[in-house]
Each structure stands twice: as C-alpha cells, then as structure tokens.
C-alpha cells in the first residue's frame, strides 16, 4: 500500500512518515498544499493524510480540487481545530475521516489502514486464498495456519499479489505500490524480493505459488 503525508510541520511529518512506513506502507511526503496537490494528482495512493493548515494552498482547498477532478482517494484530515463547524467543513469538502491534534500515532495508523482497505473495496480483514491467509490489518500471513516470517517489503509485495490473485501484476505496478516516489528504481529489485517471497512460500509447502509471466510480471496462484 502507498500513502501520501501532507503536513507543513517537518518534525511531525517525518514522525508520521516513519510510523506509516513501519506499518508497511510506501510513503511520500509533502510540506505544502501546492506540492501535496501535485503528488495526490500525479500518483496512485491508497490513502492521503492531509493537514488543513498548509502554506500556499490550505488542506480544504486541496481536498476540494481533488474531489472536483474526480479523485476518490480516501483522505484523512489532520487539524489542530476540533470544533463541530471545522469537522463539518472538512467532511463537506470530501474528507473520509477527521483526526484532531494532538493524536495517538496508533489511532492514526488504525484509521489509515481502514481507509486504505475501504478505498480498495476490501472490507474484509483477511484475504483467504486456498491454504494461504493474508491479514491486511495485522500485516501477517500464514499457510495452513503456520505463520510466515516476512520482512515488511516481502509482505507488501505479497499483499499486492494477493489482492489481485489470479491476475498478472506488472513489475511497474509492484514498484508503484511498494516503494516511495523518492526511491531510486532498480531494474531487478522487484525480481529479487519476489524471489525471497517465493522461496518462503515454497518452504511452507506452496510450490509454484508465484508464477513469472515473461515480459509481463507475476501472478499469485496459491491453489
């Protein structure tokens, strides 16, 4: 999953970004409304964390422009103001959720995960694919009830493949969903991590669960 954090307070932005990355998201960060709007309009995100009080363009205007352009990306508004009128203004502008500062990071992460699942049309917490179960909230996976020991990157790849089980997922799609925009593309990094993931699935008894489609990408067929 991939998230955008738009917050002008650099300390808070870095802290939220670090926590969201630790939760398994690829994360892009922006410090003002104009840049945030450009990012949100240019890349596909599972969710956006958007502060209201931003330089250049305030968060409500960013949100209005996104919705006016047809974007349905889930947006969690952050604000230091928690009056009823402020919440109504945010929701009327198109926000999906609202969180007042100061907030507990655990609550932000829980709300963000819920929005990302809702935006992808996945209300179920656990994706069950034959003998494989992928818990999108706990960020865990198991084969026949036995947990797989996966790195954050391996789980991110597995989650994308599981969400599109039976479909060929292009390497570019995997890169966009699992890596930050600032990350330097590497021609074989996706292949390397898919290889790690494939071997762990095979050791758990799922042989040929991930199939390579030459020139196209990968498909998860757990059986």
């Amino acid at each position: 999953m991939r998230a955008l954090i738009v917050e002008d307070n650099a300390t808070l932005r870095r802290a939220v970004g670090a926590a969201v990355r630790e939760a398994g998201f690829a994360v892009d960060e922006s410090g003002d409304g104009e840049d945030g709007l450009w990012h949100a309009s240019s890349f596909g995100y599972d969710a956006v964390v958007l502060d209201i009080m931003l330089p250049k363009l305030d968060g409500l205007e960013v949100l209005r422009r996104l919705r006016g352009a047809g974007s349905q990306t889930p947006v969690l508004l952050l604000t230091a103001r928690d009056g009823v009128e402020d919440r109504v203004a945010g929701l009327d502008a198109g926000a999906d959720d609202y969180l007042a500062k100061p907030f507990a990071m655990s609550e932000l992460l829980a709300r963000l995960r819920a929005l990302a699942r809702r935006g992808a049309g996945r209300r179920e917490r656990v994706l069950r694919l034959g003998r494989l179960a992928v818990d999108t909230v706990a960020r865990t996976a198991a084969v026949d009830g036995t947990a797989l020991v996966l790195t954050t990157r391996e789980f991110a790849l597995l989650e994308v493949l599981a969400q599109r089980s039976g479909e060929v997922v292009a390497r570019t799609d995997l890169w966009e969903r699992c890596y930050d925009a600032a990350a330097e593309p590497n021609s074989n990094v996706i292949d390397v991590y898919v290889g790690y993931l494939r071997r762990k699935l095979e050791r758990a008894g799922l042989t040929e669960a991930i199939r390579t489609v030459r020139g196209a990408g990968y498909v998860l067929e757990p059986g």
Side-chain angles (χ1 to χ4, degrees):
M1 292 188 289
R2 188 172 180 179
L4 172 65
I5 313 298
V6 188
E7 164 64 58
D8 64 320
N9 183 308
T11 300
L12 179 58
R13 184 176 67 248
R14 286 193 292 266
V16 172
V20 175
R21 287 188 183 92
E22 183 67 23
F25 285 77
V27 177
D28 297 333
E29 299 177 16
S30 179
D32 66 70
E34 287 184 357
D35 186 66
L37 177 61
W38 179 84
H39 271 84
S41 303
S42 302
F43 301 96
Y45 293 102
D46 293 287
V48 174
V49 177
L50 178 64
D51 188 29
I52 289 182
M53 301 299 291
L54 292 170
K56 297 186 179 180
L57 200 65
D58 70 69
L60 292 181
E61 184 59 25
V62 170
L63 184 53
R64 291 189 191 100
R65 294 190 188 186
L66 282 175
R67 296 301 187 237
S71 173
Q72 298 299 312
T73 301
V75 173
L76 171 62
L77 279 181
L78 297 182
T79 182
R81 300 178 301 191
D82 192 29
V84 172
E85 292 183 0
D86 298 317
R87 292 198 298 273
V88 169
L91 295 172
D92 282 347
D96 297 272
D97 202 354
Y98 192 103
L99 190 59
K101 301 176 183 177
F103 53 82
M105 198 67 74
S106 58
E107 182 179 5
L108 182 144
L109 293 174
R111 290 171 180 259
L112 190 62
R113 285 191 294 261
L115 287 182
R117 292 195 304 275
R118 187 188 311 168
R122 302 185 313 274
R123 296 184 182 276
E124 70 276 15
R125 165 177 175 153
V126 180
L127 303 174
R128 300 189 184 280
L129 308 166
R131 299 164 58 198
L132 174 66
V134 180
D135 190 322
T136 62
V137 175
R139 315 290 294 169
T140 59
V143 175
D144 295 332
T146 300
L148 295 170
V149 180
L150 303 176
T151 65
T152 299
R153 190 72 66 197
E154 290 165 355
F155 182 86
L157 289 169
L158 177 61
E159 184 178 25
V160 175
L161 291 169
Q163 289 163 1
R164 297 173 58 180
S165 179
E167 300 178 24
V168 177
V169 183
R171 290 175 177 83
T172 54
D173 288 345
L174 288 170
W175 181 271
E176 289 177 358
R177 304 315 301 168
C178 300
Y179 287 84
D180 305 351
E184 289 294 332
N186 184 304
S187 61
N188 70 341
V189 67
I190 292 294
D191 299 331
V192 169
Y193 275 94
V194 168
Y196 294 156
L197 177 60
R198 177 185 279 136
R199 285 192 288 275
K200 289 184 178 182
L201 290 172
E202 288 175 347
R203 287 198 293 270
L206 292 183
T207 58
E208 301 181 357
I210 299 177
R211 179 167 57 87
T212 301
V213 180
R214 188 175 298 277
Y218 298 97
V219 57
L220 179 65
E221 297 175 335

